[in-house]
Amino acid sequence: MTRVFSGIKPTGPVHLGNLLGALQHWVTDQAEADSVYCVVDLHALTVPQDPSVLRATTLELAQVLLAIGIDPDVSTLFIQSHVHEHAELSWILECTAAVGELRRMTQFKDKSEGAEFVSAGLFTYPALMAADILLYDTDRVPVGDDQRQHLELTRDLAIRFNGRYGDTFVVPEAAIPHVGARVMDLQHPTRKMSKSDDSPQGTILVLEDLRSVEKKLKRAVTDTETEVRYDPEAKPGVSNLLAIQAAATGRRPEDLAAGYSQYGPLKVDTAEAVCELLRPIQARYAELAADPAGTADLLAKGADKARAVAAPTLERARRALGLLPH
Ligand code: AMP
Ligand code: TRP
C-alpha cells in the first residue's frame, strides 16, 4: 500500500485555505493510502513562540484534524515532538545536507530577510522536514506548491545518503494538488488567504462563528462587471467564490458559473456551501474540545503507532552510518 505523509505547523488558527487546499485531501487520501499525519510543533519553534499559545494551538490543530475526519483508527495522527526519532534523524540529515543547498531555499530567504532574529533552526528547517518524511518510508507527500523545493531537497538527501551508505531510505514523490486548490483572500483576491492577521475580513477560519463566515462571504470583493465566469486572471474575486463553492461541494468552478447570472446569488450559495461544510466540523470540534484527556489519549496512541515505524528506520540509518549499536 502506498504510504502518504504530510505535516502542518501549529502556528495559528486553521483557515479555509488550509482546509480546501490541503487538509481535505488528507481526509480523502486515507481511503487509498496508508496515511501518516503530523502536527509539526518542532518546526513551529524555528520562530519565537509564546509557550502557552503554542500549547493551545497544537492541541487545537490536532482536534481540528480529528474533527474534519482524520480517523485515528485508519491513519496515524501524532505530534512531531512526541516521537523523538524526528529530532535525531534531523541531526543526521543536517550532516548530509550542504550549507549551500540550504541557503538556496526560497522559504529561508523569505522568512529570514529583514527578520530581527534568525534562528539556526530556521536555516536547517528542511533537514527536519526531510527527517519527518524519510522516517516513514514515504512514497507520496501531499503539499502545497510552496513546499516543492523542500521536497526536492528531501529527495536529494535520501539519494545522497543511500549512495554513500547503502540503501536506507525510500525516495519520496511530491503530490502537488491541481489548480483551483489555492484559496484567495476575500478582500484582496490576488493574494492567498493566509492566517496572518493583516486581513481578518479576507480570511475565514474553520472554527469561526458561522454568522461571521456568512457576512465575510457576502462582503467579498468582486468586480464592476456583472457576468459570472471562471477566469482567475481577469476576474479573481468572482473566480475565488466559484472555486471556494466548488471545493466545498466537490464540483467544478466552470460548471457552477453556468448556473449564475448575478453576483448576489453566487455569494449567497457560496456562503451556504461553506457553512454547510463547517457546521459538522465545528460540532465535532466542540465535542473533542470538551474532552482534552480523550484527545491526549488518541495522540499518545498515534505517537506509539508512529514510533513503531520510525524507530526501525532510524536504526537502519544509525547502522549504515557506523554509529555503534547499543
Ligand atoms: P500554512 O498555513 O502556510 O502552514 O499551510 C498549511 C497547508 O495549507 C499547506 O499545505 C499549504 O499549501 C496549504 N495552504 C495554505 N494557505 C492556502 C491557501 N490560501 N489556499 C490553498 N492552500 C493553502
Ligand atoms: N514545511 C511544511 C509547511 O510549511 C510543513 C511540514 C513539515 C511538512 N514537515 C513536513 C509537510 C513533512 C509535508 C511533509 O507547510
Side-chain angles (χ1 to χ4, degrees):
M1 206 176 184
T2 305
R3 167 75 48 73
V4 162
F5 182 99
S6 201
I8 181 165
K9 282 193 301 270
T11 46
V14 184
H15 57 75
L16 195 63
N18 301 136
L19 180 65
L20 299 179
L23 302 180
Q24 261 192 348
H25 299 284
W26 291 19
V27 176
T28 48
D29 273 341
Q30 295 182 108
E32 300 137 38
D34 177 0
S35 308
V36 182
Y37 298 127
C38 184
V39 175
V40 292
D41 56 347
L42 297 175
H43 274 107
L45 299 179
T46 53
V47 295
Q49 299 288 340
D50 178 292
S52 60
V53 173
L54 178 64
R55 201 175 296 125
T57 309
T58 304
L59 179 63
E60 179 185 296
L61 180 53
Q63 289 173 331
V64 166
L65 292 174
L66 292 164
I68 66 168
I70 302 295
D71 181 346
D73 291 326
V74 175
S75 307
T76 302
L77 175 67
F78 71 105
I79 308 294
Q80 186 183 35
S81 66
H82 292 180
V83 180
H84 63 76
E85 281 79 358
H86 289 247
E88 193 171 343
L89 184 61
S90 177
W91 172 254
I92 291 173
L93 294 174
E94 279 176 41
C95 297
T96 310
V99 168
E101 62 195 345
L102 292 174
R103 212 182 270 137
R104 280 196 294 276
M105 295 294 120
T106 55
Q107 184 174 303
F108 174 70
K109 288 191 219 168
D110 292 348
K111 293 206 170 170
S112 58
E113 224 169 54
E116 205 175 291
F117 174 81
V118 179
S119 73
L122 190 66
F123 184 62
T124 57
Y125 180 110
L128 178 58
M129 177 162 165
D132 299 341
I133 296 165
L134 298 181
L135 277 174
Y136 298 92
D137 294 335
T138 303
D139 301 298
R140 204 153 53 79
V141 186
V143 277
D145 193 46
D146 58 330
Q147 297 299 314
R148 193 188 289 274
Q149 204 187 18
H150 289 161
L151 240 294
E152 268 313 307
L153 179 66
T154 301
R155 289 169 54 84
D156 290 345
L157 295 179
I159 292 167
R160 185 175 308 150
F161 190 101
N162 290 347
R164 279 190 193 157
Y165 306 110
D167 249 357
T168 306
F169 298 124
V170 172
V171 181
E173 305 276 346
I176 314 279
H178 302 294
V179 278
R182 268 179 93 190
V183 177
M184 311 309 280
D185 187 286
L186 298 175
Q187 292 300 318
H188 309 278
T190 53
R191 67 182 204 213
K192 257 176 55 167
M193 185 179 284
S194 77
K195 51 195 165 193
S196 65
D197 32 42
D198 58 341
S199 180
Q201 294 308 315
T203 301
I204 287 178
L205 303 179
V206 168
L207 298 179
E208 185 166 341
D209 182 89
L210 293 180
R211 277 167 307 204
S212 159
V213 170
E214 191 182 341
K215 246 186 238 158
K216 286 183 185 176
L217 281 161
K218 287 188 177 162
R219 288 183 191 152
V221 164
T222 50
D223 53 48
T224 54
E225 300 175 7
T226 52
E227 187 197 2
V228 178
R229 175 161 53 85
Y230 184 67
D231 182 346
E233 287 287 310
K235 299 175 74 69
V238 170
S239 300
N240 191 34
L241 289 169
L242 288 165
I244 289 172
Q245 190 186 143
T249 57
R251 297 182 59 195
R252 283 166 22 99
E254 294 85 350
D255 297 343
L256 284 175
Y260 294 102
S261 53
Q262 285 174 317
Y263 293 168
L266 169 65
K267 288 182 171 180
V268 170
D269 290 356
T270 303
E272 197 177 298
V274 171
C275 289
E276 284 308 302
L277 177 72
L278 297 184
R279 190 171 290 114
I281 294 175
Q282 294 187 357
R284 279 198 296 274
Y285 175 83
E287 288 169 22
L288 290 157
D291 177 21
T295 305
D297 189 45
L298 288 178
L299 292 174
K301 290 198 179 104
D304 287 344
K305 251 162 90 179
R307 206 173 299 112
V309 182
T313 312
L314 178 65
E315 193 50 35
R316 276 204 313 273
R318 292 174 51 100
R319 277 169 197 266
L321 283 164
L323 297 175
L324 200 62
H326 63 288

PDB file of all heavy atoms in Angstrom, residues 8-26:
ATOM      1  N   ILE A   8       1.662  19.633   9.210  1.00  0.00           N
ATOM      2  CA  ILE A   8       1.192  21.024   9.261  1.00  0.00           C
ATOM      3  C   ILE A   8       1.666  21.661  10.555  1.00  0.00           C
ATOM      4  O   ILE A   8       1.660  21.025  11.614  1.00  0.00           O
ATOM      5  CB  ILE A   8      -0.354  21.108   9.086  1.00  0.00           C
ATOM      6  CG1 ILE A   8      -0.825  22.574   9.110  1.00  0.00           C
ATOM      7  CG2 ILE A   8      -1.081  20.278  10.131  1.00  0.00           C
ATOM      8  CD1 ILE A   8      -2.242  22.781   8.592  1.00  0.00           C
ATOM      9  N   LYS A   9       2.086  22.921  10.450  1.00  0.00           N
ATOM     10  CA  LYS A   9       2.649  23.632  11.602  1.00  0.00           C
ATOM     11  C   LYS A   9       1.550  24.226  12.471  1.00  0.00           C
ATOM     12  O   LYS A   9       0.608  24.818  11.950  1.00  0.00           O
ATOM     13  CB  LYS A   9       3.503  24.812  11.117  1.00  0.00           C
ATOM     14  CG  LYS A   9       4.864  24.431  10.624  1.00  0.00           C
ATOM     15  CD  LYS A   9       5.749  25.665  10.479  1.00  0.00           C
ATOM     16  CE  LYS A   9       5.196  26.697   9.530  1.00  0.00           C
ATOM     17  NZ  LYS A   9       5.599  26.567   8.147  1.00  0.00           N
ATOM     18  N   PRO A  10       1.688  24.109  13.795  1.00  0.00           N
ATOM     19  CA  PRO A  10       0.697  24.732  14.696  1.00  0.00           C
ATOM     20  C   PRO A  10       1.081  26.183  14.967  1.00  0.00           C
ATOM     21  O   PRO A  10       1.517  26.525  16.058  1.00  0.00           O
ATOM     22  CB  PRO A  10       0.814  23.877  15.958  1.00  0.00           C
ATOM     23  CG  PRO A  10       2.257  23.443  15.973  1.00  0.00           C
ATOM     24  CD  PRO A  10       2.699  23.342  14.534  1.00  0.00           C
ATOM     25  N   THR A  11       0.921  27.036  13.969  1.00  0.00           N
ATOM     26  CA  THR A  11       1.364  28.419  14.157  1.00  0.00           C
ATOM     27  C   THR A  11       0.225  29.425  14.057  1.00  0.00           C
ATOM     28  O   THR A  11       0.467  30.616  13.983  1.00  0.00           O
ATOM     29  CB  THR A  11       2.464  28.787  13.140  1.00  0.00           C
ATOM     30  OG1 THR A  11       2.048  28.339  11.857  1.00  0.00           O
ATOM     31  CG2 THR A  11       3.782  28.143  13.494  1.00  0.00           C
ATOM     32  N   GLY A  12      -1.004  28.955  14.045  1.00  0.00           N
ATOM     33  CA  GLY A  12      -2.126  29.895  14.013  1.00  0.00           C
ATOM     34  C   GLY A  12      -3.391  29.123  13.755  1.00  0.00           C
ATOM     35  O   GLY A  12      -3.345  27.909  13.555  1.00  0.00           O
ATOM     36  N   PRO A  13      -4.524  29.805  13.778  1.00  0.00           N
ATOM     37  CA  PRO A  13      -5.779  29.085  13.560  1.00  0.00           C
ATOM     38  C   PRO A  13      -5.882  28.541  12.132  1.00  0.00           C
ATOM     39  O   PRO A  13      -5.363  29.152  11.194  1.00  0.00           O
ATOM     40  CB  PRO A  13      -6.845  30.147  13.818  1.00  0.00           C
ATOM     41  CG  PRO A  13      -6.155  31.454  13.649  1.00  0.00           C
ATOM     42  CD  PRO A  13      -4.712  31.244  13.975  1.00  0.00           C
ATOM     43  N   VAL A  14      -6.551  27.410  11.963  1.00  0.00           N
ATOM     44  CA  VAL A  14      -6.712  26.794  10.638  1.00  0.00           C
ATOM     45  C   VAL A  14      -7.749  27.594   9.842  1.00  0.00           C
ATOM     46  O   VAL A  14      -8.809  27.932  10.359  1.00  0.00           O
ATOM     47  CB  VAL A  14      -7.187  25.333  10.782  1.00  0.00           C
ATOM     48  CG1 VAL A  14      -7.274  24.655   9.418  1.00  0.00           C
ATOM     49  CG2 VAL A  14      -6.250  24.558  11.695  1.00  0.00           C
ATOM     50  N   HIS A  15      -7.419  27.928   8.610  1.00  0.00           N
ATOM     51  CA  HIS A  15      -8.357  28.707   7.795  1.00  0.00           C
ATOM     52  C   HIS A  15      -8.866  27.874   6.621  1.00  0.00           C
ATOM     53  O   HIS A  15      -8.425  26.747   6.395  1.00  0.00           O
ATOM     54  CB  HIS A  15      -7.719  30.024   7.351  1.00  0.00           C
ATOM     55  CG  HIS A  15      -6.437  29.870   6.573  1.00  0.00           C
ATOM     56  ND1 HIS A  15      -6.410  29.456   5.263  1.00  0.00           N
ATOM     57  CD2 HIS A  15      -5.151  30.058   6.941  1.00  0.00           C
ATOM     58  CE1 HIS A  15      -5.170  29.416   4.838  1.00  0.00           C
ATOM     59  NE2 HIS A  15      -4.372  29.762   5.845  1.00  0.00           N
ATOM     60  N   LEU A  16      -9.806  28.498   5.887  1.00  0.00           N
ATOM     61  CA  LEU A  16     -10.454  27.794   4.786  1.00  0.00           C
ATOM     62  C   LEU A  16      -9.456  27.371   3.700  1.00  0.00           C
ATOM     63  O   LEU A  16      -9.643  26.330   3.051  1.00  0.00           O
ATOM     64  CB  LEU A  16     -11.533  28.714   4.195  1.00  0.00           C
ATOM     65  CG  LEU A  16     -12.563  28.081   3.276  1.00  0.00           C
ATOM     66  CD1 LEU A  16     -13.398  27.039   4.015  1.00  0.00           C
ATOM     67  CD2 LEU A  16     -13.489  29.164   2.688  1.00  0.00           C
ATOM     68  N   GLY A  17      -8.396  28.150   3.518  1.00  0.00           N
ATOM     69  CA  GLY A  17      -7.362  27.791   2.531  1.00  0.00           C
ATOM     70  C   GLY A  17      -6.665  26.497   2.918  1.00  0.00           C
ATOM     71  O   GLY A  17      -6.458  25.616   2.076  1.00  0.00           O
ATOM     72  N   ASN A  18      -6.313  26.372   4.193  1.00  0.00           N
ATOM     73  CA  ASN A  18      -5.704  25.119   4.682  1.00  0.00           C
ATOM     74  C   ASN A  18      -6.644  23.946   4.447  1.00  0.00           C
ATOM     75  O   ASN A  18      -6.230  22.885   4.003  1.00  0.00           O
ATOM     76  CB  ASN A  18      -5.418  25.175   6.193  1.00  0.00           C
ATOM     77  CG  ASN A  18      -4.488  26.285   6.606  1.00  0.00           C
ATOM     78  OD1 ASN A  18      -4.754  26.959   7.595  1.00  0.00           O
ATOM     79  ND2 ASN A  18      -3.409  26.495   5.887  1.00  0.00           N
ATOM     80  N   LEU A  19      -7.926  24.171   4.772  1.00  0.00           N
ATOM     81  CA  LEU A  19      -8.900  23.084   4.698  1.00  0.00           C
ATOM     82  C   LEU A  19      -9.118  22.636   3.251  1.00  0.00           C
ATOM     83  O   LEU A  19      -9.008  21.450   2.938  1.00  0.00           O
ATOM     84  CB  LEU A  19     -10.235  23.537   5.318  1.00  0.00           C
ATOM     85  CG  LEU A  19     -11.350  22.488   5.314  1.00  0.00           C
ATOM     86  CD1 LEU A  19     -10.991  21.292   6.190  1.00  0.00           C
ATOM     87  CD2 LEU A  19     -12.671  23.085   5.797  1.00  0.00           C
ATOM     88  N   LEU A  20      -9.421  23.593   2.375  1.00  0.00           N
ATOM     89  CA  LEU A  20      -9.767  23.222   0.993  1.00  0.00           C
ATOM     90  C   LEU A  20      -8.522  22.881   0.176  1.00  0.00           C
ATOM     91  O   LEU A  20      -8.571  22.039  -0.715  1.00  0.00           O
ATOM     92  CB  LEU A  20     -10.549  24.357   0.319  1.00  0.00           C
ATOM     93  CG  LEU A  20     -11.876  24.727   0.968  1.00  0.00           C
ATOM     94  CD1 LEU A  20     -12.545  25.871   0.225  1.00  0.00           C
ATOM     95  CD2 LEU A  20     -12.814  23.524   1.047  1.00  0.00           C
ATOM     96  N   GLY A  21      -7.394  23.552   0.481  1.00  0.00           N
ATOM     97  CA  GLY A  21      -6.189  23.348  -0.325  1.00  0.00           C
ATOM     98  C   GLY A  21      -5.385  22.140   0.095  1.00  0.00           C
ATOM     99  O   GLY A  21      -4.660  21.565  -0.712  1.00  0.00           O
ATOM    100  N   ALA A  22      -5.471  21.761   1.371  1.00  0.00           N
ATOM    101  CA  ALA A  22      -4.596  20.691   1.843  1.00  0.00           C
ATOM    102  C   ALA A  22      -5.341  19.635   2.653  1.00  0.00           C
ATOM    103  O   ALA A  22      -5.353  18.454   2.314  1.00  0.00           O
ATOM    104  CB  ALA A  22      -3.461  21.290   2.683  1.00  0.00           C
ATOM    105  N   LEU A  23      -6.019  20.069   3.718  1.00  0.00           N
ATOM    106  CA  LEU A  23      -6.495  19.096   4.702  1.00  0.00           C
ATOM    107  C   LEU A  23      -7.603  18.194   4.172  1.00  0.00           C
ATOM    108  O   LEU A  23      -7.696  17.027   4.558  1.00  0.00           O
ATOM    109  CB  LEU A  23      -6.938  19.824   5.973  1.00  0.00           C
ATOM    110  CG  LEU A  23      -5.820  20.674   6.608  1.00  0.00           C
ATOM    111  CD1 LEU A  23      -6.317  21.377   7.855  1.00  0.00           C
ATOM    112  CD2 LEU A  23      -4.601  19.816   6.928  1.00  0.00           C
ATOM    113  N   GLN A  24      -8.447  18.738   3.271  1.00  0.00           N
ATOM    114  CA  GLN A  24      -9.488  17.886   2.687  1.00  0.00           C
ATOM    115  C   GLN A  24      -8.873  16.713   1.929  1.00  0.00           C
ATOM    116  O   GLN A  24      -9.434  15.616   1.909  1.00  0.00           O
ATOM    117  CB  GLN A  24     -10.367  18.713   1.742  1.00  0.00           C
ATOM    118  CG  GLN A  24     -11.659  19.139   2.404  1.00  0.00           C
ATOM    119  CD  GLN A  24     -12.674  19.700   1.409  1.00  0.00           C
ATOM    120  OE1 GLN A  24     -12.362  19.988   0.253  1.00  0.00           O
ATOM    121  NE2 GLN A  24     -13.886  19.867   1.868  1.00  0.00           N
ATOM    122  N   HIS A  25      -7.713  16.966   1.301  1.00  0.00           N
ATOM    123  CA  HIS A  25      -7.031  15.877   0.582  1.00  0.00           C
ATOM    124  C   HIS A  25      -6.492  14.838   1.561  1.00  0.00           C
ATOM    125  O   HIS A  25      -6.434  13.655   1.250  1.00  0.00           O
ATOM    126  CB  HIS A  25      -5.890  16.420  -0.275  1.00  0.00           C
ATOM    127  CG  HIS A  25      -6.339  17.391  -1.326  1.00  0.00           C
ATOM    128  ND1 HIS A  25      -6.956  16.990  -2.478  1.00  0.00           N
ATOM    129  CD2 HIS A  25      -6.283  18.737  -1.370  1.00  0.00           C
ATOM    130  CE1 HIS A  25      -7.263  18.066  -3.201  1.00  0.00           C
ATOM    131  NE2 HIS A  25      -6.863  19.134  -2.540  1.00  0.00           N
ATOM    132  N   TRP A  26      -6.085  15.319   2.728  1.00  0.00           N
ATOM    133  CA  TRP A  26      -5.613  14.370   3.741  1.00  0.00           C
ATOM    134  C   TRP A  26      -6.731  13.383   4.077  1.00  0.00           C
ATOM    135  O   TRP A  26      -6.502  12.188   4.208  1.00  0.00           O
ATOM    136  CB  TRP A  26      -5.213  15.098   5.034  1.00  0.00           C
ATOM    137  CG  TRP A  26      -3.983  15.954   4.963  1.00  0.00           C
ATOM    138  CD1 TRP A  26      -3.383  16.461   3.846  1.00  0.00           C
ATOM    139  CD2 TRP A  26      -3.195  16.399   6.072  1.00  0.00           C
ATOM    140  NE1 TRP A  26      -2.291  17.200   4.200  1.00  0.00           N
ATOM    141  CE2 TRP A  26      -2.153  17.184   5.558  1.00  0.00           C
ATOM    142  CE3 TRP A  26      -3.296  16.213   7.459  1.00  0.00           C
ATOM    143  CZ2 TRP A  26      -1.192  17.782   6.384  1.00  0.00           C
ATOM    144  CZ3 TRP A  26      -2.346  16.813   8.274  1.00  0.00           C
ATOM    145  CH2 TRP A  26      -1.311  17.582   7.743  1.00  0.00           C
TER     146      TRP A  26
END
